[in-house]
Amino acid sequence: MKRRAFVTLPAVALAAGQLPGTAAAAAAAGMSVAAEGPSVVAGNMPVFAERLKDELTFPLAWRHRGGDFRAWRRRARGKVEELLWQPEDRSPFAVEIVDEQPRDGYRQRSVLFDVTRHSRVRALMLVPEGPGPFPAVLLLHDHGAKFDIGKEKLIEPWADETRRASARAWADRYFSGRFLGNELAARGYAVLAVDALGWGDRGGLAYEGQQALAANLFNLGSSPAGLLAYEDVRAAAMLASLPEVDERRIAAVGFSMGGYRAWQVAALSDHIAATVSACWMTGLKEMMVPGNNTLRGQSAFFMLHPGLYRYLDIPDVASIAAPRPMMLLDGEADPLFTPAGVEAAYARMRSVWASQRALHRLSTKVWPGLGHVFVREMQDEAFAWLDRWLNRK
């Protein structure tokens, strides 16, 4: 039997607190070691980031699994749900209408409901005049490092002039001066928008505080991204429970972080029949490049599920929603996502829908010359697409 050779480190190395296996210990033993260099490089990435990327093979992706698609969906969704770090919550919603006013063919409401057992929130809702039930849209607001308004970015507020002015400026900047919810209500949709933790009525968050909030939620066995995802699932279920809403015809629509939330809630909730996501889709590896906004931390914590990318890439998570209809819109000049990342994600998603003979239900489009916006032309195309898939004339 061959004897194993062991290297004994000099006592001086151990006395100096240099543990076996470390570069310092090896150097103290007279061994030749290659210096790793600085611990980080430009863009807050470790020097071994590319090696970490190589280890991410996304083994749970549909393209690696094959077989029974429904079984894959259950397994993939189960893994995402596990990594949300959110226990199941079956609390009654206890919906309460606290204000209602008529407005040009629909009614605007301020609604209270229990989004979780810990949080009772104020939402804005628009309901078309008439008997219903109506097709409905869960509108999901963006991040934008602007926390004074959340739901008001999507539905024009009517009881607070300060917020109304802030919301109108936001609509002018990103939505061609439109409020998406009001446009959809005028087209016959019931619409719901809810603040995420830190925005609007749930405010108090500042840009620099995001990282501390994330750390504290981690310490409490939660995460900002997991909480946001689970609250969106609960909001979809609440919307489906309302008598004015046709539970079979509910869409999720969002821009920027709201676009991320839209395809995410579609992946995690069977209440979502169709999805429109504007300006948030990419492959992970193509996003993790020097200079990308995600590498700064802070805002990224609302879209970061620890450990998830050991199993699934970003488009793999969105593909859990297949074969239900989904529209993805991105701007060619969007500084937040590389063209390579957008196209790689689109290609992977097209292969999933195609495998289910449902490629006609997936719409992907990069808008020439546009940046990180959801302007009138994009909206009109998206709303017409929703009309088609939610069986409206």
Side-chain angles (χ1 to χ4, degrees):
M1 185 172 76
K2 291 184 178 180
R3 293 194 177 190
R4 296 172 115 182
F6 292 90
V7 176
T8 302
L9 293 175
V12 65
L14 298 179
Q18 295 162 355
L19 299 178
T22 67
M31 300 177 183
S32 176
V33 294
E36 187 178 57
S39 60
V40 295
V41 296
N44 303 325
M45 294 279 275
V47 293
F48 46 85
E50 291 304 315
R51 280 175 279 167
L52 290 177
K53 280 188 185 181
D54 291 341
E55 292 177 3
L56 297 178
T57 60
F58 312 117
L60 200 51
W62 168 248
R63 65 184 179 277
H64 297 318
R65 309 300 296 187
D68 185 330
F69 187 74
R70 289 185 178 181
W72 171 79
R73 287 183 71 239
R74 286 194 299 270
R75 184 176 179 187
R77 180 190 281 187
K79 177 56 67 175
V80 178
E81 290 173 339
E82 172 192 338
L83 295 173
L84 296 184
W85 299 354
Q86 304 299 315
E88 188 175 18
D89 190 338
R90 294 182 178 272
S91 304
F93 298 114
V95 179
E96 178 186 359
I97 300 172
V98 294
D99 181 32
E100 180 173 281
Q101 300 177 15
R103 178 171 178 176
D104 302 331
Y106 56 90
R107 303 186 71 80
Q108 53 191 24
R109 293 176 177 173
S110 180
V111 177
L112 299 178
F113 76 101
D114 292 342
V115 69
T116 67
R117 65 191 181 282
H118 300 304
S119 298
R120 186 163 181 80
V121 299
R122 183 183 301 273
L124 296 181
M125 187 170 184
L126 305 176
V127 181
E129 297 286 4
F134 303 100
V137 173
L138 176 62
L139 275 177
L140 301 155
H141 69 73
D142 58 69
H143 188 295
K146 184 173 179 59
F147 303 102
D148 63 310
I149 52 174
K151 59 190 180 298
E152 296 87 359
K153 295 177 179 180
L154 301 166
I155 294 177
E156 184 176 15
W158 58 90
D160 186 323
E161 286 302 322
T162 300
R163 285 191 181 178
R164 181 183 294 183
S166 183
R168 283 178 173 169
W170 200 253
D172 288 341
R173 182 175 180 181
Y174 291 107
F175 306 134
S176 298
R178 286 171 153 182
F179 286 92
L180 304 185
N182 298 76
E183 291 291 327
L184 285 162
R187 296 177 75 103
Y189 291 89
V191 180
L192 178 72
V194 186
D195 291 320
L197 182 66
W199 279 267
D201 289 323
R202 305 174 77 190
L205 191 61
Y207 187 85
E208 293 76 12
Q210 295 174 99
Q211 208 137 302
L213 175 66
N216 291 324
L217 282 170
F218 290 157
N219 281 332
L220 294 168
S222 185
S223 77
L227 180 62
L228 181 63
Y230 197 74
E231 288 189 351
D232 288 343
V233 170
R234 287 271 297 175
M238 189 282 277
L239 184 58
S241 74
L242 298 178
E244 301 93 338
V245 170
D246 184 342
E247 64 177 354
R248 300 165 300 173
R249 295 189 291 163
I250 298 176
V253 176
F255 159 72
S256 192
M257 183 184 78
Y260 173 99
R261 296 168 65 191
W263 53 253
Q264 179 175 251
V265 73
L268 296 174
S269 172
D270 291 330
H271 291 299
I272 303 301
T275 306
V276 173
S277 171
C279 295
W280 215 112
M281 179 49 66
T282 181
L284 174 76
K285 294 182 181 181
E286 295 85 359
M287 180 178 70
M288 298 289 290
V289 295
N292 188 274
N293 189 59
T294 306
L295 274 58
R296 299 167 60 190
Q298 297 289 2
S299 305
F301 279 104
F302 285 96
M303 295 157 280
L304 191 162
H305 302 290
L308 178 58
Y309 298 133
R310 285 286 175 186
Y311 303 93
L312 295 160
D313 197 358
I314 293 166
D316 301 326
V317 177
S319 295
I320 296 171
R324 284 170 285 161
M326 183 175 291
M327 171 179 268
L328 298 157
L329 306 164
D330 285 274
E332 179 186 42
D334 191 331
L336 300 183
F337 305 103
T338 65
V342 173
E343 186 46 50
Y346 282 2
R348 290 168 202 157
M349 294 178 70
R350 283 193 290 263
S351 69
V352 176
W353 265 259
S355 74
Q356 302 308 300
R357 300 181 180 179
L359 191 55
H360 62 290
R361 295 182 175 182
L362 179 68
S363 175
T364 60
K365 183 172 180 178
V366 176
W367 286 72
L370 292 182
H372 197 68
V373 293
F374 190 25
V375 293
R376 180 183 297 264
E377 295 78 12
M378 300 168 80
Q379 295 168 34
D380 288 345
E381 188 166 313
F383 297 163
W385 181 89
L386 273 183
D387 287 347
R388 185 168 77 251
W389 285 110
L390 295 185
N391 299 316
R392 289 181 45 78
K393 300 297 183 182

